[in-house]
Amino acid sequence: MIKGKKFTNNVFLVILIILAVVSLFPVVWVALSSFKPQNELFSSPMTFFPKTWTLSNYASAISQGNFARYFLNTVFVACTSTVITVLINIMAGYALAKYYFRGRNVIFGLMIATLMVPLQVIMIPIFLQLKNLGMLNSLWGIIIPPAATPTGIFLARQYMVNLSNSMIESARIDGAKELRIFVRIILPLSQPIVATITIFSFMWRWNDYLWPLIVITDNDKMTMQQALANFVGQLQINWSNLLAMTTISIIPVLIVFFSFQKFFMSGITAGSVKG
């Protein structure tokens, strides 16, 4: 029985390793190819590791493509949007989990229902609203609309439903205000879900292409994804610069993920618990 279970676990482990290798192969290939000279990219037979290592692709991409400006724009959008998203979603999740008021479940249900509404349906109304507010061609026009996400609110609410009510009640009896309870008790206990929403939000905003394409028209305000698209011309593609910028664009997402991965899995599994 024990041997059979061990064999099954080993089989699952091998399958997971194979899937991980298959998933990581394109990323590793892009990273290694960014160090290849232009002529080696299309050599036959193709090589996985560069025969000649070069940094000229990175130097060319940074100098010719106004890379620093695009990178800083994307960092500002991703970081600012993530902070706002985490605050809104955590506060909304806390209110829906621990405050009892009429229509609470209806509001929560309506928020979850918006997950079925694609961006294309609400794109024009949001665009017109941003136009009326004078936020077109502005980085804030990218940051504000997706600040509150139903996915984040759902995960936060499901996690906080399982937090003990006795600590909150004890703090209220001791005279603690609601803001103090939220900052001193709820936030420290919610580190896993905060990390989960942080990873998701940063990844979504960093990789977003469609909404910045609609909102931004000024070249100096473009984000990384728009810059990457500019390397794809009508008649030719600058593969060397494109691969170099793509590799650099992956690094911030990896940094954020590995910084918060300690709490990531517990935050994800908390959303599967029925409150």
Side-chain angles (χ1 to χ4, degrees):
M1 186 69 179
I2 297 177
K3 291 183 178 180
K5 185 176 181 180
K6 185 177 181 180
F7 174 77
T8 303
N9 291 337
N10 290 335
V11 171
F12 278 119
L13 180 60
V14 172
I15 294 174
L16 290 175
I17 292 174
I18 294 174
L19 292 176
V21 171
V22 172
S23 301
L24 290 175
F25 178 81
V27 179
V28 176
W29 186 88
V30 167
L32 292 175
S33 297
S34 67
F35 294 98
K36 297 178 181 178
Q38 179 78 19
N39 58 349
E40 190 177 334
L41 287 174
F42 304 99
S43 62
S44 182
M46 295 182 64
T47 58
F48 186 70
F49 293 96
K51 294 180 180 178
T52 304
W53 294 77
T54 179
L55 294 175
S56 60
N57 299 333
Y58 290 88
S60 176
I62 293 174
S63 61
Q64 297 180 11
N66 200 14
F67 173 83
R69 169 60 61 183
Y70 302 140
F71 186 83
L72 291 176
N73 288 342
T74 312
V75 168
F76 175 76
V77 169
C79 292
T80 306
S81 180
T82 297
V83 171
I84 297 175
T85 298
V86 169
L87 288 175
I88 292 177
N89 290 346
I90 294 298
M91 288 189 291
Y94 174 56
L96 291 171
K98 296 303 181 183
Y99 284 87
Y100 298 93
F101 53 89
R102 182 177 299 178
R104 183 183 68 165
N105 293 332
V106 175
I107 294 174
F108 180 64
L110 290 175
M111 287 183 179
I112 299 304
T114 59
L115 288 170
M116 297 183 291
V117 181
L119 174 62
Q120 290 76 6
V121 174
I122 59 176
M123 189 181 298
I124 295 178
I126 297 178
F127 178 84
L128 295 176
Q129 188 66 35
L130 289 178
K131 181 180 179 181
N132 295 333
L133 295 173
M135 297 178 65
L136 291 181
N137 197 29
S138 168
L139 295 180
W140 289 103
I142 307 175
I143 294 170
I144 298 300
T149 61
T151 303
I153 294 175
F154 170 77
L155 291 174
R157 187 263 180 188
Q158 293 300 94
Y159 181 88
M160 292 182 182
V161 161
N162 299 290
L163 296 181
S164 175
N165 292 326
S166 59
M167 292 184 297
I168 300 174
E169 295 299 330
S170 298
R172 287 172 179 165
I173 292 173
D174 291 338
K177 302 297 183 180
E178 294 301 318
L179 180 60
R180 186 179 181 86
I181 294 174
F182 179 76
V183 173
R184 293 296 183 89
I185 298 177
I186 300 302
L187 283 182
L189 293 175
S190 302
Q191 289 183 5
I193 199 62
V194 168
T196 301
I197 297 175
T198 297
I199 291 173
F200 281 146
S201 177
F202 188 90
M203 181 179 64
W204 291 334
R205 299 291 79 79
W206 186 271
N207 294 324
D208 194 7
Y209 171 74
L210 180 59
W211 190 244
L213 180 65
I214 295 172
V215 175
I216 301 299
T217 57
D218 190 347
N219 185 66
D220 289 336
K221 296 178 181 178
M222 287 184 178
T223 61
M224 282 287 296
Q225 302 308 318
Q226 292 175 279
L228 291 174
N230 289 340
F231 280 102
V232 181
Q234 183 177 0
L235 300 178
Q236 64 179 3
I237 301 176
N238 192 335
W239 286 107
S240 298
N241 290 3
L242 180 61
L243 291 171
M245 288 189 67
T246 300
T247 302
I248 296 177
S249 69
I250 295 173
I251 295 175
V253 178
L254 294 177
I255 293 174
V256 171
F257 177 79
F258 285 116
S259 298
F260 292 96
Q261 68 168 338
K262 178 181 177 181
F263 305 104
F264 180 69
M265 289 309 300
S266 57
I268 285 291
T269 54
S272 63
V273 178
K274 183 177 179 180

